[in-house]
Amino acid sequence: GVSPERFDRIEQMINNLLSKFDYLEHHVEHELVSVDDHVRVTLDKLSKQEQNSEKRIEQLEKQVLQNVESSLSDRIANLEAAMREAVQKRIKTAEQNTMDNISATVADKLKSVSSSSWTKPFIFLLFVDVIAFYLVYKWYMKFKKDHL
């Protein structure tokens, strides 16, 4: 056997170990609660930061989009103005070339036609007009006599 003194010492050691175990268990519970609270607070902070970050990202996206739209609008307006100027210059150049060609052609024709040569076709056309007028007059008189 075990002597009562030895049994008391073993019992006292076991009680001592159980009290240390209880203390340790209690301490671990407090630490776990503390860790749980800390994790919860950290998660709340992270959630708030995430929301703030998302809002800031949305603001930045809107700002970037506005800058891009503004830049594109300016570029389009500049391109339209440049195109308009280029087209107007080409039209003006084409018009000037056409007018120069017409002027040159008319001047050449006027130089090639002598001043007396226009009278012959004019007299011929006048003669044809007089004959046509006379024939129409005769036809009208005949038509008038037939219907009266």
Side-chain angles (χ1 to χ4, degrees):
V2 177
S3 71
E5 290 174 15
R6 187 168 178 172
F7 186 73
D8 285 341
R9 267 191 328 180
I10 292 175
E11 190 177 3
Q12 191 177 16
M13 290 280 256
I14 290 176
N15 284 337
N16 193 10
L17 284 175
L18 284 175
S19 72
K20 284 183 180 182
F21 182 72
D22 285 341
Y23 173 79
L24 189 61
E25 184 180 13
H26 181 73
H27 183 71
V28 167
E29 277 183 40
H30 281 291
E31 289 296 321
L32 283 175
V33 168
S34 173
V35 168
D36 188 44
D37 286 344
H38 182 71
V39 168
R40 189 175 302 120
V41 167
T42 304
L43 287 175
D44 287 344
K45 286 181 181 179
L46 284 175
S47 176
K48 287 178 184 176
Q49 285 180 351
E50 182 181 13
Q51 289 173 356
N52 291 338
S53 295
E54 286 178 7
K55 288 178 185 176
R56 182 67 179 145
I57 288 171
E58 286 177 12
Q59 289 174 348
L60 289 174
E61 285 176 347
K62 287 178 184 177
Q63 187 177 6
V64 167
L65 184 63
Q66 288 173 350
N67 289 343
V68 168
E69 286 176 350
S70 170
S71 175
L72 285 177
S73 296
D74 291 345
R75 283 179 149 177
I76 288 172
N78 289 339
L79 285 174
E80 286 176 348
M83 290 290 288
R84 193 174 302 115
E85 282 183 35
V87 168
Q88 287 175 350
K89 282 182 182 179
R90 286 186 179 180
I91 289 173
K92 196 177 265 188
T93 302
E95 181 182 16
Q96 186 63 40
N97 288 343
T98 304
M99 292 305 286
D100 290 346
N101 289 341
I102 289 172
S103 297
T105 304
V106 168
D108 287 345
K109 292 294 179 184
L110 288 176
K111 286 179 187 176
S112 67
V113 174
S114 65
S115 59
S116 63
S117 66
W118 68 271
T119 56
K120 290 178 185 177
F122 180 74
I123 292 172
F124 175 73
L125 289 175
L126 186 62
F127 181 70
V128 169
D129 285 344
V130 169
I131 292 173
F133 179 74
Y134 177 75
L135 290 175
V136 168
Y137 178 74
K138 284 287 194 179
W139 177 77
Y140 177 72
M141 289 300 188
K142 181 182 173 195
F143 182 72
K144 192 175 174 184
K145 286 179 188 177
D146 288 344
H147 284 76
L148 287 177

